[in-house]
């Protein structure tokens, strides 16, 4: 039976191992990405809930995130 050389086989195996390693790392990163996207959704939900609480107390406002000062947002009449 015909065979490639030991050196060629070693190179092919190394390349396949490297590819498998890279694909595994991509899988880990995708899993982390999925988790982070869920965290973003949760934080966005909390932000919206906080906005509603602030709006109930202060009305429609714009907040300076450095000082905490706010200005009332005037609603345009239609």
């Amino acid at each position: 039976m015909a065979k490639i050389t030991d050196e060629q086989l070693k190179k092919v195996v190394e390349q396949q191992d490297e590819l498998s390693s890279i694909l595994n790392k991509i899988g880990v990163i995708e899993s982390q990405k999925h988790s982070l996207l869920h965290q973003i959704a949760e934080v966005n939900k909390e932000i919206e809930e906080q906005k509603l609480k602030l709006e109930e107390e202060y009305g429609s406002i714009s907040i300076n995130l450095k000082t905490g000062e706010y200005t009332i947002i005037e609603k345009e009449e239609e």
Side-chain angles (χ1 to χ4, degrees), residues 14-74:
E14 286 173 355
Q15 291 169 332
Q16 288 299 311
D17 288 347
E18 183 178 11
L19 179 60
S20 292
S21 174
I22 292 168
L23 290 171
N24 185 44
K25 288 175 185 176
I26 289 172
V28 169
I29 291 169
E30 284 295 326
S31 177
Q32 291 171 341
K33 176 184 167 185
H34 183 77
S35 177
L36 290 170
L37 289 172
H38 279 286
Q39 289 177 30
I40 287 172
E42 184 61 32
V43 169
N44 281 333
K45 179 182 169 195
E46 292 171 6
I47 288 170
E48 289 304 314
E49 290 170 355
Q50 184 64 25
K51 281 182 183 179
L52 288 174
K53 288 178 185 177
L54 290 170
E55 192 168 314
E56 284 177 14
E57 187 170 341
Y58 298 99
S60 230
I61 60 172
S62 176
I63 303 169
N64 180 321
L65 297 179
K66 293 193 186 291
T67 66
E69 296 173 329
Y70 68 89
T71 55
I72 295 174
I73 298 173
E74 299 293 331

Side-chain angles (χ1 to χ4, degrees), residues 5-18:
T5 67
D6 288 343
E7 193 173 299
Q8 291 169 327
L9 178 60
K10 179 181 175 189
K11 184 68 174 174
V12 169
V13 169
E14 286 173 355
Q15 291 169 332
Q16 288 299 311
D17 288 347
E18 183 178 11

